[in-house]
Amino acid sequence: VEGIVNTIGFPLVGGPAGSMAAGRDVDLAAKLLKEMDVPYIVAAPLLLQSIEQWRKNGVQGLQSVVLYGLPELDGAIDTTVLGGLVGDKIALVPERVRKLSSRMKG
């Protein structure tokens, strides 16, 4: 394994993103990453913002906590927006997916 990319919005060890309930284990996540010694990146679509809003205003409010703050608690070294809402559907932005793929290939 040369790197871990989390695209589902869940903590590395535990429940759904934002959950501080029993089951989230930051210490275990840190131990796992230390033992694996590989980069951990969170790359996910925005679930609280449209792509249009993101392009105009950047990552806003609670979405920034979910995308940046919580992954940092797990030991993520970077986060990447892969897309966002288009109406009531989640859509990926192809150039963001290609950029992530390119970064992981080295």
Side-chain angles (χ1 to χ4, degrees):
V1 173
E2 295 182 26
I4 300 169
V5 179
N6 179 342
T7 62
I8 60 172
F10 286 79
L12 187 60
V13 179
S19 171
M20 295 305 282
R24 182 180 176 93
D25 194 334
V26 175
D27 293 335
L28 182 56
K31 180 180 182 287
L32 176 66
L33 290 172
K34 184 175 181 178
E35 288 174 2
M36 293 186 74
D37 194 26
V38 297
Y40 173 51
I41 295 175
V42 172
L46 303 174
L47 303 178
L48 304 172
Q49 278 183 254
S50 70
I51 292 173
E52 182 179 336
Q53 290 170 328
W54 164 64
R55 286 188 167 146
K56 182 176 180 184
N57 301 312
V59 178
Q60 299 288 300
L62 181 58
Q63 185 69 70
S64 67
V65 173
V66 173
L67 185 66
Y68 301 125
L70 295 175
E72 187 174 341
L73 292 175
D74 271 351
I77 61 166
D78 194 9
T79 58
T80 301
V81 174
L82 289 184
L85 297 174
V86 175
D88 63 349
K89 302 212 183 301
I90 299 169
L92 298 179
V93 177
E95 66 262 20
R96 303 292 292 189
V97 176
R98 282 192 294 275
K99 180 178 179 181
L100 174 64
S101 177
S102 177
R103 286 182 63 203
M104 293 311 293
K105 287 179 185 175

